[in-house]
Amino acid sequence: MKVARGRVTLQGNADPGILYGTKEAIKNVVEEMVVGFGGGKQGWIANLGHGITPLVQPEDLRFFLEEIHRIGGR
């Protein structure tokens, strides 16, 4: 984040396999990603590195997205 100094938008790729993990594991990955971006609500885009895989449960994807909003909104 120091290198970018607000001049670019950063994009982070969470491993989509995390959506098969526990809610705690999903929360930890999102937290690590948001902290890596420097926190806040601007200057970054969170995504899944290879998209959503076929057997992901919708509620796990929803939890991932809700955690991004919750943690990123601090």
Side-chain angles (χ1 to χ4, degrees):
M1 192 64 178
K2 264 185 170 178
V3 175
R5 293 193 182 134
R7 295 176 289 161
V8 297
T9 298
L10 302 174
Q11 181 171 320
N13 299 334
D15 180 343
I18 193 61
L19 297 179
Y20 294 106
T22 64
K23 289 196 181 333
E24 185 68 22
I26 293 171
K27 180 180 88 69
N28 290 339
V29 165
V30 169
E31 202 160 59
E32 183 179 321
M33 186 170 45
V34 172
V35 167
F37 289 139
K41 296 180 181 184
Q42 296 181 356
W44 55 272
I45 300 168
N47 72 337
L48 294 167
H50 302 290
I52 302 166
T53 53
L55 301 177
V56 166
Q57 296 298 310
E59 57 271 10
D60 293 329
L61 175 60
R62 181 178 298 113
F63 181 77
F64 173 76
L65 296 171
E66 287 171 348
E67 285 299 286
I68 291 168
H69 286 276
R70 184 183 70 79
I71 294 169
R74 291 182 185 166

